Amino acid sequence: MSRQYTLQRFPVSTSIHVDYAAELNEQQLAAVTAPPGPILVIAGAGSGKTRTLTYRVAYLLENGIDPRNILLLTFTNKAAREMLGRVANLLPVDANGLWGGTFHSVGNRILRRHGSALDYSSGFTIMDREDQKDLIDTVVASAGIDPKEIRFPKGDVLAEIFSFAVNTEKPLEELLAEKFPYFLPLLGKIQDVHERYEKKKKATNSMDFDDLLQKALLMFQQHERIAEFYRRQFQFILVDEYQDTNKIQADLVDLLACDHRNVMVVGDDAQSIYSWRGANFQNILEFPKRYPDAQVFKIEMNYRSVPEILEVANAAIAANVQQFRKHLSATRESKALKPALVALNNGAEQAQFVAQRILELRDENVDLNDIAVLYRAHYHAVELQLELSRRGIPYQITSGIRFFEQAHIKDVTSFIRFVANPRDEVAFHRMVKLLPGIGNRTAENLWRKWETDVVAAGVDRGSEATSAPAGVIAPGHSFAERLLAMSVSAKSKKMWMQLAHTLDEIAPGGQPNPPSEMIASIVEAIYDDYAKVNFANYQLRREDLDQLAVFARQFKDVHEFLAQLALISNVDAEAGPTQSADREAVNLSTVHQAKGLEFHTVFVIWLTDGMFPSSRSLDTRDALEEERRLFYVAITRARDELYLTYPLMRLSGGYGDVFQRPSRFLQEIPSDLIEDWQVQRR
């Protein structure tokens, strides 16, 4: 019969250095000083979540917990460093032994020590996404698959599919049906590539980023002695931003905590907005079910926003059924300025309102850097970018590159540039390289042929041999006639013919159709299939292209349309914030990218059903509730002023304007909490 013997902890410090009651509010103090066991801390927006975690670590250390027995998991290594730096400033204690970092960095550290259990040496290579793509492309080739022939997904798209399968722990078939249904007919081939890819990684002693989680969990599941070692070491586990964890991350935490169950997770269910990249909202929602004896603390004192904004935020999230109900309370005094609800006639007028109000705020000494315009999707900012450029208001895109500079936008406009000016070599190269079997060298050879046989023959702009309008191919000639006379490889021939006929379709008889019609034809005939196999976020890019067609409807002449795009790019290049690191600039961002940030003034635009919430979210309650959480996140970015705007009409992809229904989220906010602004034109 074995005897249980307990080692007493040697106290790290014999005196308490931190006055926790003085440093924390009552809600924070209760969480920080809670006894061991499972703990869920629901920390509302702006409530001092990081402060709570930092002081919890300090509290554990001051109560004799060895730093080596603490595991702090965050979503960025920077966040972990900042927390540990604050702990070091609070206590005269060496906490270097504490394990702190991202899930992936901790997984890497463990696998370096014990990867041999899975037949990996400690010197394994961690592939970045480019390396991963190259290895998958190699595997696809070795499997005898010609991606050009069957429109097989490219390496980076397959990498995204495999990554999502790992992080959600879903079978490939289920995942494809849910997120990539157009690849379901290729399921068998994709599964074969995945198996070959796993074998290739093992053979080359390589891991991708997701393996750092998957292989760590697999090792713990298959090797109990290793799992037991780390369960004994990590006596206290703390997890930041728990609402953003995915299935495999939650499983890792539960496995390591299953003996002592001293796990504190901190997050805000109302800010769970990343299901599209694998985050599992149920992790935080069901924590009390997985740990029935969990203590639940709510931190609801907000240090960021004025009371008027918080009242709107509380009302905005109230309709969600799946949530831990809480009520944010302000520590700041009232400004007697209610958030504004602003209805505009259309998207152009919305952009004008935002731009004018930004200039007024600047005159009121609000720094441009402290102003943000938030939106649901990248394409919602098209008209605003144009208006800001016209008015010379510098802006920066924190949600990615500027709309008109994105690859898929430039790809499609290259067709339009070419039919408008057959001498445009850059447009020709970009256009033909979208076709299978055509790389830089082939594109150059084709251009020389085109230049010799067509441009030099005097059938384009400036030729005395033609009476065609400037920039188009001469009457009596067609793009198909010229292009089909050029020789291309057998691999490229089918799509080369498609290109030739598409150019004739968008510029019949050498006369370009209206830009909006051209965009629709290019996407339908060529680019949609290309985008599916080349972009993991195909759906978002397709929405951008649909919006580009809508934007182009205001231009009947192709040259006016292209000139306007060039004007925007050139104005941006001259006035953009990239010239100087300390140059003022308004922040334009999707709400997803703005999470964690805060601004003096926030504009939330395009608040109409189908835009925000998005049309894809209207079919299920879960999707709609995530959209409502996204709206809540947008509101809680504002400290002092908030403007909620929506256009009454918008251009449609067809013909004419369509009426817009104000977002259902706006109708859930009591009218006495907001001020209705009536905008008039002078």
Side-chain angles (χ1 to χ4, degrees):
M1 181 176 176
S2 62
R3 174 184 295 186
Q4 297 294 322
Y5 182 83
T6 302
L7 284 175
Q8 300 297 324
R9 297 186 182 278
F10 184 80
V12 178
S13 173
T14 56
S15 60
I16 301 298
H17 293 84
V18 179
D19 186 348
Y20 293 94
E23 295 287 333
L24 305 168
N25 65 40
E26 289 185 11
Q27 295 172 338
Q28 294 169 336
L29 180 65
V32 165
T33 60
I39 299 170
L40 171 61
V41 181
I42 301 297
S47 65
K49 169 183 64 66
T50 300
R51 186 177 186 84
T52 301
L53 264 178
T54 299
Y55 277 80
R56 177 64 175 181
V57 173
Y59 183 78
L60 292 175
L61 293 173
E62 283 209 302
N63 280 274
I65 304 302
D66 191 310
R68 291 171 297 183
N69 295 138
I70 299 175
L71 173 62
L72 173 62
L73 293 166
T74 61
F75 271 80
T76 65
N77 286 314
K78 179 183 177 184
R81 287 194 301 270
E82 288 179 352
M83 283 190 227
L84 296 180
R86 293 187 192 183
V87 170
N89 290 331
L90 288 173
L91 298 175
V93 172
D94 182 6
N96 285 333
L98 191 153
W99 283 48
T102 65
F103 282 88
H104 293 87
S105 66
V106 170
N108 173 58
R109 190 170 171 182
I110 292 172
L111 288 168
R112 294 290 179 192
R113 288 181 168 187
H114 309 286
S116 58
L118 298 177
D119 297 326
Y120 278 89
S121 76
S122 61
F124 62 81
T125 298
I126 301 175
M127 299 182 293
D128 60 20
R129 185 48 70 94
E130 189 65 27
D131 297 329
Q132 188 180 5
K133 168 189 169 296
D134 291 343
L135 186 61
I136 292 175
D137 284 338
T138 300
V139 168
V140 169
S142 70
I145 298 171
D146 186 348
K148 310 296 187 183
E149 290 183 5
I150 62 172
R151 284 293 186 182
F152 200 70
K154 294 293 179 63
D156 47 0
V157 177
L158 287 170
E160 187 73 13
I161 291 172
F162 298 160
S163 175
F164 209 92
V166 167
N167 288 300
T168 60
E169 298 182 349
K170 289 183 178 179
L172 272 174
E173 183 174 8
E174 180 182 341
L175 176 63
L176 291 181
E178 184 179 304
K179 288 185 69 71
F180 305 90
Y182 38 88
F183 290 142
L184 266 176
L186 302 172
L187 174 62
K189 287 184 170 61
I190 292 175
Q191 287 175 325
D192 179 53
V193 168
H194 187 241
E195 292 169 7
R196 290 169 180 263
Y197 173 58
E198 289 297 318
K199 291 177 181 176
K200 193 73 170 177
K201 284 188 294 182
K202 178 68 72 68
T204 57
N205 197 40
S206 302
M207 293 193 193
D208 59 38
F209 203 53
D210 299 304
D211 286 328
L212 300 178
L213 300 182
Q214 185 189 43
K215 298 295 189 288
L217 181 61
L218 182 66
M219 183 176 65
F220 288 148
Q221 291 170 337
Q222 293 182 351
H223 300 273
E224 177 59 25
R225 291 182 63 186
I226 298 175
E228 183 182 3
F229 173 83
Y230 284 101
R231 286 200 294 265
R232 285 186 176 184
Q233 176 169 346
F234 299 138
Q235 292 294 309
F236 288 85
I237 301 173
L238 300 92
V239 187
D240 188 20
E241 301 285 9
Y242 190 69
Q243 78 280 349
D244 293 334
T245 55
N246 56 38
K247 181 70 166 61
I248 200 169
Q249 289 166 333
D251 286 349
L252 273 166
V253 170
D254 289 348
L255 186 148
L256 289 172
C258 67
D259 288 345
H260 55 72
R261 305 175 81 255
N262 294 326
V263 54
M264 171 188 272
V265 299
V266 181
D268 183 4
D269 59 295
Q271 296 187 68
S272 179
I273 57 174
Y274 294 118
S275 65
W276 53 275
R277 68 183 191 196
N280 190 341
F281 176 64
Q282 297 302 319
N283 288 347
I284 191 167
L285 200 67
E286 296 186 353
F287 186 85
K289 294 181 181 178
R290 299 202 311 280
Y291 297 87
D293 56 335
Q295 305 168 79
V296 180
F297 298 92
K298 294 180 181 178
I299 304 178
E300 301 166 298
M301 297 296 293
N302 177 285
Y303 293 86
R304 176 186 300 157
S305 306
V306 294
E308 292 79 7
I309 290 175
L310 293 185
E311 287 303 314
V312 170
N314 287 327
I317 199 65
N320 269 13
V321 175
Q322 296 190 88
Q323 65 167 307
F324 293 102
R325 297 204 174 272
K326 58 184 174 298
H327 188 277
L328 293 180
S329 299
T331 58
R332 294 183 57 193
E333 294 183 359
S334 170
K335 286 188 65 175
L337 180 67
K338 291 182 179 180
L341 178 63
V342 191
L344 290 310
N345 284 329
N346 51 45
E349 188 171 282
Q350 177 179 245
Q352 293 163 14
F353 168 77
V354 172
Q356 180 174 312
R357 189 71 193 109
I358 286 172
L359 292 175
E360 292 168 351
L361 288 163
R362 185 67 190 88
D363 290 341
E364 296 167 14
N365 295 319
V366 178
D367 196 307
L368 291 182
N369 293 327
D370 216 7
I371 300 173
V373 184
L374 306 183
Y375 35 83
R376 174 63 183 85
H378 201 35
Y379 69 82
H380 292 177
V382 174
E383 290 151 318
L384 181 60
Q385 289 184 44
L386 178 61
E387 186 66 27
L388 294 177
S389 297
R390 284 172 176 162
R391 299 195 185 210
I393 301 174
Y395 64 91
Q396 59 184 351
I397 307 288
T398 56
S399 57
I401 59 176
R402 295 164 191 263
F403 182 84
F404 296 107
E405 295 168 5
Q406 297 176 103
H408 52 297
I409 301 297
K410 297 183 76 170
D411 286 345
V412 169
T413 54
S414 68
F415 290 74
I416 301 174
R417 287 172 52 190
F418 180 67
V419 297
N421 175 18
R423 290 191 182 198
D424 191 332
E425 182 178 356
V426 173
F428 180 89
H429 275 252
R430 187 171 195 119
M431 177 180 66
V432 300
K433 286 196 295 184
L434 297 172
L435 308 185
I438 298 181
N440 288 328
R441 182 178 300 177
T442 303
E444 179 60 30
N445 291 337
L446 290 169
W447 171 253
R448 286 177 186 159
K449 179 71 172 171
W450 172 265
E451 194 174 34
T452 301
D453 294 355
V454 179
V455 176
V459 292
D460 72 305
R461 173 166 42 163
S463 169
E464 295 178 1
T466 177
S467 59
V472 299
I473 203 161
H477 297 276
S478 74
F479 285 103
E481 175 189 349
R482 298 289 179 174
L483 290 174
L484 295 180
M486 300 163 65
S487 62
V488 295
S489 68
K491 183 183 292 187
S492 307
K493 194 159 189 177
K494 181 180 178 182
M495 287 306 298
W496 185 257
M497 292 176 64
Q498 180 68 63
L499 169 66
H501 293 305
T502 299
L503 293 178
D504 272 352
E505 180 184 340
I506 66 176
Q511 302 298 317
N513 287 333
S516 182
E517 294 178 24
M518 284 198 280
I519 293 167
S521 296
I522 294 162
V523 171
E524 181 180 350
I526 293 178
Y527 201 75
D528 194 60
D529 285 341
Y530 172 86
K532 283 177 180 175
V533 300
N534 281 276
F535 301 122
N537 59 346
Y538 155 75
Q539 192 64 49
L540 295 178
R541 293 182 189 250
R542 179 59 198 259
E543 288 178 358
D544 283 348
L545 293 170
D546 290 343
Q547 182 61 28
L548 180 67
V550 170
F551 172 78
R553 282 196 56 221
Q554 60 191 292
F555 305 99
K556 297 302 180 187
D557 178 71
V558 65
H559 298 289
E560 182 188 357
F561 171 69
L562 293 173
Q564 193 64 65
L565 298 193
L567 173 65
I568 295 172
S569 298
N570 288 331
V571 169
D572 290 347
E574 293 169 5
T578 52
Q579 279 188 335
S580 171
D582 54 6
R583 183 184 177 91
E584 277 191 68
V586 175
N587 301 278
L588 271 56
S589 177
T590 62
V591 184
H592 285 105
Q593 291 292 328
K595 184 174 175 291
L597 305 178
E598 59 181 72
F599 306 92
H600 176 280
T601 300
V602 168
F603 297 84
V604 187
I605 63 174
W606 278 109
L607 283 165
T608 63
D609 267 8
M611 302 290 266
F612 197 167
S614 72
S615 56
R616 294 194 309 274
S617 70
L618 301 179
D619 296 333
T620 67
R621 188 190 73 178
D622 286 352
L624 188 61
E625 290 207 349
E626 178 155 337
E627 291 287 301
R628 192 176 283 109
R629 295 195 294 269
L630 194 64
F631 181 47
Y632 172 85
V633 168
I635 292 170
T636 54
R637 299 312 94 199
R639 295 196 305 268
D640 295 270
E641 295 189 32
L642 174 67
Y643 298 85
L644 307 173
T645 73
Y646 66 94
L648 296 168
M649 292 184 294
R650 72 179 175 96
L651 288 169
S652 70
Y655 297 93
D657 294 335
V658 294
F659 283 102
Q660 296 273 96
R661 182 194 299 270
S663 172
R664 62 194 64 194
F665 299 157
L666 295 176
Q667 299 169 37
E668 294 168 355
I669 300 172
S671 58
D672 62 325
L673 298 182
I674 51 181
E675 185 176 29
D676 190 17
W677 284 34
Q678 299 294 322
V679 177
Q680 300 177 337
R681 282 189 170 274
R682 301 182 70 176

